Amino acid sequence: MRSKVSRNTVIPLAAALTVFGLGAIAVWLIAAQQLHAVLSDQKNYVVQKISLEFRHRDELLQDFAERANQGCSDKLLEEMRRALFDHNSTRDIAILDDGANEIRCTALLGALERPALLQPEAGLPTPKEGRIVWMNPAGLDYPHSTNLVVFREGPLAVISYPAWTGDLPDYRRWEVTATTPNSGTKVTVLGQSGVSGDYQWSRWNPFVSLLYVRSCELENGIICLYLNAGLGELAANEWPLLVTGNLVNATMAVLLFLQVRTHLLLRNSVGSRIRRSIRSGGVQFRCVYQPIIDLRSDRLSGCEVLARYEDEYGPLSPAEFIPEVERQQLTWAFTEIVLSRALKDLEPILDRHPELNVSVNFFPGDLDDVHVERLSTNPSLRWAASRKFRLCFEILETGILSADHMQKVQRFLDRCGFLTAIDDFGTGYSNISQVRDSHINLIKIDRSFVQELDRKLPAMRASLVGPMIEIARSINVEVVAEGIETETQLSQIKELKVRFGQGFFLSRPLETDAFRDFAQADRNNAPQTVVSMKRS
Ligand SMILES: Nc1nc2c(ncn2[C@@H]2O[C@@H]3COP(=O)(O)O[C@H]4[C@@H](O)[C@H](n5cnc6c(=O)[nH]c(N)nc65)O[C@@H]4COP(=O)(O)O[C@H]3[C@H]2O)c(=O)[nH]1
């Protein structure tokens, strides 16, 4: 029962969590995608600015390249100063000593008293041969200017503000890197070092990679720009989407949970478990055998076949599954399963003890004349008849059919040497003539009567046991007392000269092996030693 409950909860819960998880991933990806679009816009903007700056720088280098060879003339410096007005991002233009990295004069500072030396090892790679770049060169003394970049080609250098990223929001992490064309070494040119490294890692993770953009379309691909948006920004910018998306998601998960749970509950209901089992051959059913004792000799006279059911959801008692078998009109299919299983189990025992009676419960509806055909063609019954096994058909008293309705069936049973018994006698409303006319061989007195026999107080049912036995005797029918639970009940039943007894005091229903041992012990004439053997 516990495993049934947990299965019915765990499976829907797993389905709901899976859907919620997938939904949360989808919401996350959509939100990150939106932020990615913002990042891409910013990237395009910055790339445009950088490209423009590169173009201006190249124009300046081209415009003044030849004249710079002639040295620092006032006229040239004047022209250069004028050119600076048209190029916002250019801080200054300098003329260097040809062959050395010494700045001799600049458009803004004029001729330098002491030439500024640019360290050659600080030069960064550029795609263009003969061009060197310095970041934050030492020795150039401009007020309010940091992060200057010097591009040198021949005797001319353009000194720029790297104002490319100036329009990015403060919280944005960014980095500009340059890669040496020959060695492939990557260095951080500007921004926060590490962003490019994080970008490499993010590519393995689809959730995080959307929070990065990269662009290497600058300077023939050796300069790359990396931008990164943080998780905090994602939460701050996309919270309406995240909240709404996950609410929808949670609602879907709850609905799915309820839907799957209802489906499973229905699927695992007793009815559907029994239906599925019977339709697929009934492997979940097994039989146990309750000994019936001949009370005159205290010897085993036979057994009653009782069905048991157990599947992956746990066991079901006959009180649970028998009504379902009837409700679903699967009575005959069920009886066929029980019959064939019982005969298979009992065959070796009956071979050694052919005198034993085997009582099988039948549904009354399956024993009317209409169904004689399927009874007489049933392989198990035909086989039992051919082996001369002594089968007894137990029918509930409430289901006794009139002699007219049972004529053909009765003839078939007689032919096969099979007996019929009324089960739970006393609980229905049959009268003597009805019992006599239906050619019953045995009546089984219901245990509710037997169990009142040892009550101290006067008991109404107990007082009826004697008359019932008289009735049976008068129509020449043997009696089985069911449900004998105590020694007193047994001795009272014996005093009433009841021929057969069945009940927990004599033996619980037994598994096949235990019943085989019981029969063997009985043959050795010691039934009392095995009376309370293994329970079913
Ligand atoms: N309290 C008490 N109970 C005792 C005692 N001795 C035996 N019993 C129980 O009484 C029932 C006897 O079977 P039943 O009257 O045919 O009543 C059976 C029968 O009507 C039905 N049933 C069981 N197996 C089958 C089957 O294979 N086919 C059909 N059609 N019905 C079956 O389910 C009913 C209940 O079966 P079980 O639970 O196996 O219950 C069995 C048995 O375990 C006792 O001393 N005290």
Side-chain angles (χ1 to χ4, degrees):
M1 193 66 187
R2 202 182 310 136
S3 78
K4 188 170 84 182
V5 169
S6 62
R7 261 178 98 100
N8 289 343
T9 310
V10 167
I11 294 174
L13 197 65
L17 288 178
T18 309
V19 162
F20 184 77
L22 290 175
I25 291 171
V27 170
W28 174 275
L29 288 177
I30 293 169
Q33 184 68 51
Q34 299 213 3
L35 198 55
H36 189 82
V38 173
L39 273 185
S40 296
D41 284 350
Q42 289 179 350
K43 179 203 79 177
N44 291 341
Y45 175 72
V46 173
V47 167
Q48 264 176 23
K49 284 192 80 177
I50 295 177
S51 302
L52 189 67
E53 196 179 316
F54 284 175
R55 221 179 58 229
H56 285 167
R57 184 197 63 207
D58 286 347
E59 278 169 14
L60 288 173
L61 286 173
Q62 226 173 12
D63 286 353
F64 297 104
E66 279 189 15
R67 274 176 295 163
N69 282 324
Q70 295 155 17
C72 303
S73 70
D74 286 347
K75 190 163 174 275
L76 180 57
L77 293 180
E78 172 64 33
E79 267 185 58
M80 285 175 168
R81 262 196 301 279
R82 235 180 283 129
L84 287 179
F85 284 111
D86 301 331
H87 297 88
N88 287 339
S89 66
T90 307
R91 179 77 172 99
D92 205 350
I93 304 171
I95 295 177
L96 291 94
D97 214 0
D98 204 4
N101 286 327
E102 279 183 2
I103 297 179
R104 308 286 299 277
C105 59
T106 79
L108 293 182
L109 302 175
L112 302 182
E113 271 178 37
R114 255 187 317 127
L117 182 67
L118 299 171
Q119 298 301 321
E121 63 273 16
L124 285 171
T126 76
K128 191 165 175 198
E129 194 136 335
R131 182 178 291 177
I132 307 177
V133 177
W134 283 265
M135 306 298 304
N136 306 321
L140 286 172
D141 197 14
Y142 296 103
H144 315 301
S145 50
T146 49
N147 287 338
L148 289 176
V149 190
V150 176
F151 296 88
R152 184 228 171 129
E153 198 173 324
L156 198 69
V158 173
I159 302 167
S160 302
Y161 297 114
W164 312 328
T165 49
D167 294 331
L168 286 176
D170 290 344
Y171 52 78
R172 178 73 66 244
R173 285 176 77 225
W174 59 273
E175 182 183 6
V176 177
T177 63
T179 309
T180 320
N182 299 331
S183 69
T185 317
K186 193 159 78 176
V187 286
T188 303
V189 176
L190 281 173
Q192 196 173 340
S193 120
V195 179
S196 61
D198 294 348
Y199 167 80
Q200 295 299 337
W201 279 109
S202 78
R203 291 166 68 193
W204 298 103
N205 187 337
F207 301 108
V208 181
S209 68
L210 282 171
L211 301 180
Y212 283 87
V213 286
R214 180 179 81 146
S215 177
C216 285
E217 60 220 84
L218 301 158
E219 290 277 285
N220 297 354
I222 69 161
I223 295 180
C224 297
L225 166 73
Y226 297 87
L227 296 183
N228 166 230
L231 287 179
E233 189 186 346
L234 181 73
N237 286 10
E238 306 297 335
W239 69 264
L241 175 67
L242 290 171
V243 170
T244 327
N246 281 317
L247 274 179
V248 172
N249 213 3
T251 314
M252 274 168 50
V254 170
L255 288 178
L256 184 78
F257 175 85
L258 295 174
Q259 180 96 23
V260 176
R261 197 171 143 78
T262 312
H263 173 79
L264 280 182
L265 283 174
L266 271 178
R267 193 183 132 78
N268 299 334
S269 67
V270 175
S272 51
R273 283 163 69 186
I274 295 302
R275 187 176 56 244
R276 260 183 287 140
S277 173
I278 292 178
R279 288 197 174 148
S280 58
V283 281
Q284 293 77 7
F285 287 100
R286 66 176 213 287
C287 296
V288 291
Y289 306 95
Q290 187 171 32
I292 298 173
I293 306 294
D294 185 334
L295 300 177
R296 287 192 308 205
S297 58
D298 283 340
R299 299 286 304 270
L300 180 67
S301 94
C303 66
E304 178 176 358
V305 177
L306 295 164
R308 295 290 179 263
Y309 179 91
E310 181 158 12
D311 61 15
E312 71 262 39
Y313 303 105
L316 291 174
S317 72
E320 289 172 291
F321 67 75
I322 293 290
E324 281 304 326
V325 171
E326 287 181 297
R327 200 173 59 84
Q328 306 206 29
Q329 299 181 342
L330 291 169
T331 51
W332 181 241
F334 167 75
T335 305
E336 279 188 311
I337 290 170
V338 173
L339 247 182
S340 71
R341 194 126 319 152
L343 288 174
K344 207 164 148 217
D345 288 350
L346 295 176
E347 185 190 358
I349 303 171
L350 294 177
D351 279 344
R352 305 189 72 180
H353 309 277
E355 75 286 356
L356 294 183
N357 283 293
V358 177
S359 295
V360 182
N361 287 284
F362 276 76
F363 294 96
D366 291 328
L367 290 182
D368 60 14
D369 284 0
V370 182
H371 297 115
V372 70
E373 174 67 19
R374 68 182 184 193
L375 270 185
S376 52
T377 54
N378 177 269
S380 302
L381 289 178
R382 287 169 68 115
W383 181 76
S386 71
R387 301 288 300 270
K388 302 218 174 338
F389 288 156
R390 297 157 68 105
L391 283 191
C392 177
F393 285 44
E394 287 192 13
I395 318 160
L396 286 179
E397 187 191 8
T398 44
I400 296 183
L401 300 166
S402 71
D404 289 350
H405 276 98
M406 262 194 80
Q407 262 182 12
K408 289 186 200 148
V409 171
Q410 196 69 56
R411 271 204 298 276
F412 164 74
L413 297 180
D414 287 345
R415 232 184 11 252
C416 297
F418 297 155
L419 305 175
T420 39
I422 296 179
D423 201 6
D424 298 347
F425 187 72
T427 55
Y429 303 98
S430 53
N431 56 42
I432 309 176
S433 59
Q434 213 180 348
V435 175
R436 188 188 48 225
D437 295 346
S438 42
H439 301 285
I440 294 296
N441 306 97
L442 277 168
I443 59 172
K444 296 183 81 174
I445 300 177
D446 188 63
R447 68 168 180 264
S448 57
F449 294 90
V450 176
Q451 284 169 359
E452 282 193 358
L453 282 176
D454 56 358
R455 289 233 180 120
K456 298 277 178 303
L457 297 170
M460 210 268 275
R461 282 178 172 249
S463 65
L464 294 175
V465 176
M468 279 196 268
I469 295 167
E470 283 309 316
I471 292 172
R473 222 164 263 149
S474 70
I475 54 170
N476 213 12
V477 166
E478 291 290 3
V479 177
V480 183
E482 284 190 305
I484 301 172
E485 288 186 347
T486 64
E487 198 169 359
T488 320
Q489 287 167 6
L490 178 63
S491 57
Q492 294 209 29
I493 285 293
K494 279 186 174 179
E495 266 172 38
L496 289 164
K497 304 264 180 295
V498 173
R499 173 83 191 271
F500 300 103
Q502 179 184 351
F504 291 167
F505 183 71
L506 298 165
S507 169
R508 295 254 172 188
L510 304 173
E511 300 290 339
T512 314
D513 287 350
F515 180 67
R516 188 200 53 226
D517 294 347
F518 192 104
Q520 191 54 46
D522 176 76
R523 181 170 252 203
N524 299 341
N525 208 8
Q528 51 279 53
T529 58
V530 286
V531 153
S532 46
M533 286 171 69
K534 187 177 159 201
R535 289 170 177 221
S536 66

